[in-house]
């Protein structure tokens, strides 16, 4: 027997497999998709078996033998094996990366993670029921009989739930009862109770019916914030489960969607597995096992949950489908929607994309009928969407209010008096954005990245938000040595300080990357705010999505136009989405909601469309620009990124690649090479060539050759990002 094994090697053709022979005693354990350890040069590596040849007579050269078998059952089933090959083609990524990315850490090849399986002790009968009943009749000890009766009726009782451990010990010694141990899943909570559900509104019913009965593969649910999309998801899944099928629900980031997860758990109880990056390796492994063993019908998770090894999938739901987190930023640079499409075809399942602000691409597809379009135009309680006020900060500054306008101050004061809650968004963490020397104008940058350092007052440090480098705060300018470094710009820390100065006794909680590094920190902030332990929740874009607080009646945005100036063709779209989402947090239950946007661009169409909650208007404005400038959805756009620590060499190769692309793709638009927006990160220079095109196959072929020709030495690294989301 000969097997073909895929291992992780960083040289040459990364998709090449290596053949090994299998000793007689291991042959019975060999299956496709299991991991094995193999000798590789002087090393031992773990790899996946992708092919098995029973007949080995045709080979006449000496092959090495595999060392041992790691798994009893395949970690990659047939579907995942095929999916990996599809991904590798689609994203021009090494096959091994595709397989590794699908699996929880504990099941990846090569890296070994030690797992301590947690166990729970249970007590059950050690004799037949008749014998026990007879024993009870003749036994005078009430305490003993109580325990025996409990075990008789429940069959299995958690050991720690038995009150009198001394009496229990006696019964164990008499061999009437016995102790067993069972594997305990780390995330199981015992206090999940199934909850009643809402009767759907006629609009919601219509959406569910159209989805279930329609014949499209993908549907887009465009529903305003608070229109009851989550309720629709749950109802669709109820129906899917009734048919004996299963569901995957993708959310942008679990930590930010605690409330959604809780609603699912309340509705479906322990029929839900949760997969996301903040779980420990052990927890992830447990959840994966539950899925593999067919113990749950629903998987909720962030991007990588799309690989959950569920059998018989009926629906894949992608909530907040416009979010950039659905695209993985390192190899394989996959989008969860592409993977969903592959799996949906395989399982004959349907896909539901949901959003209040769909991506331009998705909405365009729905408009031409390629996706089915479902709409929820109103909020559940028939309430109007919150009124949005625009504050022109140019005017406000003239009146002496640089950071917080008088309109916002009044709004906050009013809510404090009425005991209502406030949310304030400022999409920048830290205290100030940059340090600039007031003598020579020098801007203090990270020594290894092309980016200004941010001052963090809480820790009194300067930090690079790209590589994490931190330094002590300084006043002396490294250029001219004057003591002239001053901080400019504003981050969440400064706003927190300002608010505390302005409002006596205000209870503020801040949620940004700096306050949520520890596990569970998100949920705690959300829970505490929900329980009115705070008046005001201040944060970055983390607070914009998915949260549902009934007491919030004012949402304020500092620097609403901050994202508009980023040089990326999606910057208007992202700004609209963010502002629309955060506005939707106001007035969700019984109290009327209000939104105050502070901006320097009050006549920008994005601000105007946010003011009117007008997604369609925004779409119509934006699509014209995309058409004129030839950007998605009118073409695909992919990026060839060239990375090198040697500036001259990197630029040379980039120019050659630019010429190569223009020569071989004469009918497409090639831009660059240019330097990336952030030109240097961790001392690596970044160049890029952008391709705008219509014919995917043609471009993929040419890009494969680019990799072959230029990605072949250690002075340069080439990354290909198909359908790039980040410029
Ligand atoms: P979305 O996901 O569109 O923002 P949600 O599903 O969170 O909207 O619904 C908003 C609020 O309305 C939630 O508090 C939810 O419990 C409630 N809700 C949703 N559907 C119904 C319904 N049919 N009847 C009563 N309340 C509902
Ligand atoms: Zn840096």
């Amino acid at each position: 027997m000969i097997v073909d094994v895929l291992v992780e090697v960083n040289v040459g053709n990364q998709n090449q497999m290596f053949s090994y022979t299998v000793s007689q005693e291991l042959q019975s354990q060999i299956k496709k998709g299991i991991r094995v350890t193999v000798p590789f040069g002087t090393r031992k590596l773990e790899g996946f078996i992708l092919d098995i040849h029973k007949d080995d007579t045709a080979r006449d050269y000496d092959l090495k033998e595999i060392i041992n078998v790691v798994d009893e059952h395949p970690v990659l089933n047939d579907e995942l094996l095929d999916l990996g090959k599809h991904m590798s083609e689609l994203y021009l990524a090494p096959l091994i990366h595709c397989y590794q990315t699908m699996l929880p850490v504990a099941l990846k090849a090569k890296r070994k993670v030690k797992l301590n399986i947690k166990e729970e002790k249970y007590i059950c009968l050690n004799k037949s029921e008749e014998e026990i009943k007879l024993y009870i009749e003749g036994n005078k000890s009430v305490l003993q009989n109580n325990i025996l009766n409990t075990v008789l009726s429940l069959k299995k009782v958690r050991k720690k739930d038995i009150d009198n451990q001394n009496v229990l010990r006696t019964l164990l010694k008499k061999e009437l009862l016995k102790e067993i141990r069972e594997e305990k899943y780390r995330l199981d909570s015992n206090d999940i109770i199934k909850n009643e559900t809402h009767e759907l509104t006629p609009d919601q019913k219509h959406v569910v019916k159209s989805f279930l009965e329609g014949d499209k593969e993908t549907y887009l649910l465009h529903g305003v914030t608070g229109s009851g999309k989550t309720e629709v998801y749950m109802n669709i899944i109820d129906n899917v489960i009734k048919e004996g099928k299963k569901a995957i629900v993708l959310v942008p980031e679990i930590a930010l969607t605690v409330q959604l997860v809780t609603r699912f758990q309340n509705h479906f109880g322990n029929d839900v597995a949760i997969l996301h990056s903040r779980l420990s390796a052990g927890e992830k492994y447990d959840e994966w096992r539950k899925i593999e063993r067919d113990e749950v019908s629903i998987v909720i998770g962030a991007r990588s949950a799309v690989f959950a090894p569920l059998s018989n999938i009926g629906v894949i739901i992608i909530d907040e489908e416009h979010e950039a987190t659905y695209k993985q930023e390192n190899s394989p640079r996959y989008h969860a929607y592409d993977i969903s499409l592959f799996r949906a075809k395989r399982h004959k399942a349907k896909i539901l994309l949901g959003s209040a602000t769909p991506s331009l691409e998705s909405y365009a597809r729905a408009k031409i009928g390629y996706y089915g379009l479902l709409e929820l135009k109103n909020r559940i309680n028939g309430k109007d969407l919150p009124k949005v006020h625009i504050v022109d900060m140019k005017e406000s500054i003239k009146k002496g209010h640089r950071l917080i306008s008088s309109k916002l101050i009044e709004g906050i004061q009013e809510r404090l008096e009425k005991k209502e809650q406030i949310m304030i968004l400022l999409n920048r963490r830290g205290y100030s954005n940059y340090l600039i020397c007031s003598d020579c104008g020098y801007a203090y940058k990270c020594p290894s990245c092309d980016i200004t350092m941010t001052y963090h007052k809480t820790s009194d440090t300067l930090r690079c938000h790209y590589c994490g480098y931190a330094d002590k705060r300084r006043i002396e300018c490294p250029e001219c040595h004057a003591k002239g470094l001053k901080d400019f710009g504003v981050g969440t820390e400064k706003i927190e300080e300002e608010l505390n100065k302005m409002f006596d006794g205000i209870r503020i909680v801040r949620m940004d990357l700096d306050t949520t590094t520890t596990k569970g920190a998100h949920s705690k902030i959300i829970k505490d705010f929900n329980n009115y332990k705070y008046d005001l929740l201040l944060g970055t874009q983390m607070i914009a999505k998915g949260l549902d607080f009934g007491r919030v009646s004012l949402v304020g945005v500092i620097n609403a136009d901050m994202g508009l100036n980023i040089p990326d063709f999606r910057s208007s779209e992202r700004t609209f989405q963010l502002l629309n989402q955060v506005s939707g947090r106001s007035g969700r239950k019984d109290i009327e909601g209000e939104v105050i946007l502070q901006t320097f661009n009050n006549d920008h169409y994005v601000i105007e469309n946010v003011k009117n909650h007008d997604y369609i208007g925004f779409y119509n404005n934006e699509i014209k620009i995309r058409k004129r400038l030839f950007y998605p959805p009118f073409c695909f756009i992919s990026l060839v990124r060239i990375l090198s620590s040697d500036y001259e060499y990197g630029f040379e190769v980039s120019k050659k690649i630019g010429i190569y692309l223009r020569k071989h793709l004469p009918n497409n638009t090639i831009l660059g090479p240019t330097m990336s927006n952030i030109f240097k990160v961790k001392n690596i220079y970044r160049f890029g060539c952008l391709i705008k095109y219509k014919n995917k196959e043609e471009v993929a072929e040419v890009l494969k050759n680019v990799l072959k020709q230029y990605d072949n030495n250690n002075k340069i690294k080439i990354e290909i990002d198909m359908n790039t989301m980040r410029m």
Side-chain angles (χ1 to χ4, degrees):
M1 178 187 275
I2 290 176
V3 290
D4 295 341
V5 179
L6 183 69
V7 291
E8 188 157 357
V9 285
N10 290 323
V11 287
N13 174 4
Q14 295 186 44
N15 288 355
Q16 189 188 341
M17 282 186 274
F18 297 89
S19 298
Y20 293 88
T21 56
V22 184
S23 67
Q24 206 63 41
E25 72 261 36
L26 288 182
Q27 291 199 358
S28 63
Q29 300 172 44
I30 295 293
K31 291 177 199 122
K32 256 196 204 182
I34 61 166
R35 288 171 299 171
V36 288
T37 316
V38 295
F40 195 87
T42 55
R43 294 178 291 167
K44 277 193 214 169
L45 292 180
E46 254 182 38
F48 301 101
I49 293 192
L50 297 194
D51 246 319
I52 304 168
H53 309 277
K54 292 257 154 51
D55 173 26
D56 53 9
T57 49
R59 316 246 177 159
D60 53 9
Y61 42 90
D62 280 342
L63 293 178
K64 288 185 186 162
E65 208 173 79
I66 66 167
I67 299 168
N68 66 307
V69 170
V70 179
D71 304 301
E72 193 180 334
H73 304 290
V75 290
L76 292 166
N77 62 26
D78 283 347
E79 184 193 358
L80 295 184
L81 285 169
D82 289 349
L83 176 56
K85 288 177 190 154
H86 173 71
M87 285 170 74
S88 176
E89 280 290 310
L90 198 58
Y91 304 115
L92 309 181
L95 186 55
I96 186 88
H97 288 181
C98 300
Y99 290 139
Q100 301 281 39
T101 219
M102 293 174 179
L103 296 169
V105 180
L107 298 178
K108 287 188 204 296
K110 207 171 85 175
R111 272 173 258 174
K112 288 225 173 104
V113 178
K114 212 168 166 300
L115 288 175
N116 46 348
I117 304 269
K118 272 205 182 170
E119 288 183 332
E120 181 79 60
K121 291 175 190 161
Y122 291 91
I123 300 298
C124 47
L125 299 181
N126 197 29
K127 297 222 156 74
S128 74
E129 288 189 13
E130 284 66 41
E131 284 172 278
I132 299 291
K133 281 179 190 154
L134 272 175
Y135 181 87
I136 292 174
E137 271 173 33
N139 186 19
K140 288 195 206 80
S141 161
V142 182
L143 291 176
Q144 285 188 8
N145 287 348
N146 277 347
I147 295 178
L148 288 172
N149 276 318
T150 311
V151 182
L152 253 180
S153 63
L154 294 176
K155 304 284 184 287
K156 194 172 100 180
V157 183
R158 269 204 305 197
K159 188 176 180 189
K160 63 173 177 230
D161 289 345
I162 293 176
D163 290 335
N164 199 327
Q165 294 284 329
N166 279 331
V167 180
L168 174 64
R169 254 192 300 277
T170 315
L171 293 168
L172 287 169
K173 224 178 269 160
K174 288 186 176 171
E175 296 187 348
L176 293 162
L177 298 177
K178 68 177 173 201
E179 184 181 305
I180 55 166
R181 289 156 183 262
E182 281 186 9
E183 184 177 337
K184 179 173 180 271
Y185 295 131
R186 268 149 273 224
L187 277 187
D188 266 4
S189 72
N190 297 310
D191 45 30
I192 288 177
I193 343 138
K194 285 209 183 191
N195 213 344
E196 91 286 312
T197 26
H198 299 290
E199 167 81 15
L200 292 191
T201 63
D203 283 352
Q204 285 172 319
K205 276 189 191 149
H206 179 72
V207 166
V208 172
K209 191 165 175 308
S210 311
F211 178 80
L212 292 173
E213 292 174 2
D215 56 4
K216 297 262 198 262
E217 189 163 48
T218 302
Y219 286 81
L220 173 65
L221 170 56
H222 175 219
V224 298
T225 51
S227 59
K229 293 188 288 295
T230 313
E231 214 67 32
V232 165
Y233 301 155
M234 294 196 290
N235 200 279
I236 285 175
I237 295 174
D238 276 334
N239 280 288
V240 164
I241 291 177
K242 266 186 220 140
E243 288 175 19
K245 294 188 179 168
K246 302 186 174 182
I248 296 180
V249 181
L250 301 180
V251 293
E253 205 186 313
I254 286 273
L256 307 183
T257 36
V258 215
Q259 290 182 324
L260 180 138
V261 174
T262 313
R263 276 166 74 184
F264 268 78
Q265 286 179 322
N266 285 341
H267 187 93
F268 296 105
N270 270 329
D271 205 11
V272 183
I274 299 167
L275 289 175
H276 63 91
S277 58
R278 288 202 177 210
L279 297 182
S280 68
E283 287 168 340
K284 263 189 215 165
Y285 174 74
D286 288 353
E287 296 300 290
W288 185 264
R289 290 250 291 179
K290 275 191 213 166
I291 299 165
E292 227 182 3
R293 292 172 163 189
D294 260 341
E295 292 173 1
V296 292
S297 315
I298 304 159
V299 177
I300 303 187
R303 183 180 60 229
S304 64
V306 74
F307 298 111
L310 274 182
S311 59
N312 202 7
I313 300 170
V315 64
I316 302 177
I317 295 173
I318 308 186
D319 188 32
E320 311 286 5
E321 66 89 29
H322 60 276
E323 285 289 336
T325 52
Y326 288 123
K327 176 85 191 290
Q328 178 155 295
E329 287 299 331
N330 45 24
S331 176
R333 296 180 180 80
Y334 72 91
H335 194 288
Y337 177 69
D338 299 335
I339 309 299
S340 304
L341 209 53
F342 178 94
R343 301 201 71 185
K345 284 194 200 305
R346 182 102 171 192
H347 290 263
K348 300 195 172 52
K350 284 185 185 167
I351 302 174
L352 180 60
L353 309 174
S355 176
T357 52
S359 68
L360 270 252
E361 285 93 328
S362 295
Y363 198 73
R365 285 179 190 168
K367 274 189 78 157
I368 60 168
Y370 180 66
Y371 295 164
L373 180 61
L374 308 168
E375 291 177 298
L376 287 173
K377 293 185 173 160
N378 301 306
R379 282 195 156 179
I380 275 296
N381 44 15
K383 270 225 132 102
D384 288 340
L385 286 158
K387 177 142 183 48
V388 181
H389 300 279
I390 310 293
V391 175
D392 181 354
M393 284 311 278
K394 298 188 289 287
E395 294 302 316
S396 179
I397 287 176
K398 282 185 205 151
K399 291 181 204 145
H401 294 286
R402 299 193 68 83
L403 295 178
I404 305 176
S405 61
S406 48
K407 174 91 189 158
L408 188 52
I409 296 173
E410 282 159 24
I412 296 173
Q413 191 60 48
E414 186 190 326
R415 295 328 183 285
L416 291 175
E417 280 158 16
K418 287 207 238 161
K419 298 202 173 354
E420 292 171 6
Q421 285 177 303
I422 306 135
M423 287 168 76
I424 303 277
L425 169 81
L426 170 58
N427 201 11
R428 176 156 277 150
R429 66 196 168 98
Y431 187 78
S432 63
N433 308 347
Y434 20 76
L435 282 188
I436 295 179
C437 175
S438 50
D439 270 30
C440 73
Y442 171 83
Y444 197 87
K445 284 190 173 180
C446 170
S448 5
C449 306
D450 173 43
I451 186 171
T452 52
M453 303 274 278
T454 303
Y455 177 54
H456 288 246
K457 196 168 188 178
T458 322
S459 53
D460 197 29
T461 50
L462 294 173
R463 290 180 186 214
C464 169
H465 286 183
Y466 267 77
C467 71
Y469 172 80
D471 196 359
K472 277 207 279 300
R473 187 189 188 186
R474 50 185 75 213
I475 308 165
E476 189 183 306
C477 172
E479 285 290 300
C480 72
H481 301 287
K483 293 202 177 347
L485 285 181
K486 290 219 168 77
D487 47 274
F488 289 88
V490 52
T492 46
E493 287 183 8
K494 191 186 269 179
I495 294 294
E496 183 176 17
E497 189 180 273
E498 283 294 308
L499 289 169
N500 274 318
K501 273 190 221 152
M502 281 177 179
F503 302 98
D504 223 16
I506 188 170
R507 300 169 304 163
I508 301 177
V509 61
R510 177 159 59 88
M511 184 155 100
D512 55 29
L513 260 186
D514 300 316
T515 62
T516 52
T517 44
T518 54
K519 202 175 162 179
H522 276 104
S523 340
K524 184 166 161 34
I525 294 175
I526 291 168
K527 209 165 116 196
D528 287 348
F529 188 65
N530 201 28
N531 292 335
Y532 196 40
K533 289 196 179 154
Y534 299 100
D535 304 300
L536 190 149
L537 172 63
L538 165 68
T540 53
Q541 100 289 343
M542 278 183 189
I543 67 167
K545 300 157 211 162
L547 298 177
D548 190 17
F549 302 115
R551 208 188 262 261
V552 172
S553 61
L554 174 64
V555 165
V557 182
I558 316 280
N559 278 357
D561 31 28
M562 193 157 70
L564 287 176
N565 306 320
I566 296 169
D568 185 322
F569 73 91
R570 287 195 180 89
S571 64
S572 294
E573 182 179 359
R574 298 233 169 88
T575 304
F576 179 81
Q577 287 161 347
L578 177 67
L579 296 179
N580 189 280
Q581 295 282 349
V582 76
S583 303
R585 302 311 113 206
S586 187
R588 289 175 71 86
K589 290 269 157 69
D590 310 318
I591 328 171
E592 199 159 320
E594 185 184 24
V595 180
I596 298 175
L597 300 184
Q598 301 190 160
T599 168
F600 290 94
N601 290 289
N602 44 322
D603 46 7
H604 196 290
Y605 68 93
V606 165
I607 303 293
E608 185 66 24
N609 293 145
V610 170
K611 179 176 167 157
N612 299 324
H613 303 283
D614 186 7
Y615 173 79
I616 311 279
F618 167 74
Y619 175 86
N620 289 331
N621 283 326
E622 183 69 15
I623 202 85
K624 277 189 217 126
I625 300 175
R626 298 284 179 94
K627 185 163 188 180
R628 195 172 68 223
L629 301 178
F630 192 50
Y631 271 113
F634 297 96
C635 65
F636 300 107
I637 187 158
S638 291
L639 180 68
V640 182
R641 206 177 283 122
I642 300 112
L643 308 171
S644 179
S645 56
D646 181 337
Y647 174 85
E648 299 294 337
Y649 185 71
F651 193 41
E652 262 330 289
V653 175
S654 302
K655 279 192 284 197
K656 281 187 195 153
I657 291 178
I659 292 167
Y660 185 93
L661 291 174
R662 286 190 173 86
K663 184 171 165 209
H664 291 89
L665 295 168
N667 302 320
N668 301 275
T669 313
I670 315 289
L671 303 177
T674 55
M675 299 181 284
S676 304
N677 284 348
I678 310 291
F679 173 48
K680 187 176 77 168
V681 175
K682 294 189 200 171
N683 287 320
I684 303 286
Y685 296 93
R686 297 148 61 94
F687 305 87
C689 290
L690 212 58
I691 313 167
K692 294 173 167 184
Y693 59 99
K694 293 236 175 204
N695 184 336
K696 288 190 206 176
E697 284 74 24
E698 182 192 13
V699 168
E701 273 317 303
V702 172
L703 289 179
K704 260 186 218 167
N705 289 331
V706 168
L707 280 178
K708 234 182 254 161
Q709 275 199 16
Y710 297 99
D711 192 29
N712 51 15
N713 69 52
N714 50 21
K715 279 176 76 182
I716 204 118
K717 185 158 174 26
I718 293 177
E719 293 175 354
I720 297 208
D721 191 357
M722 302 302 276
N723 291 320
T724 186
M725 296 278 271
R726 203 173 277 177
M727 306 292 281

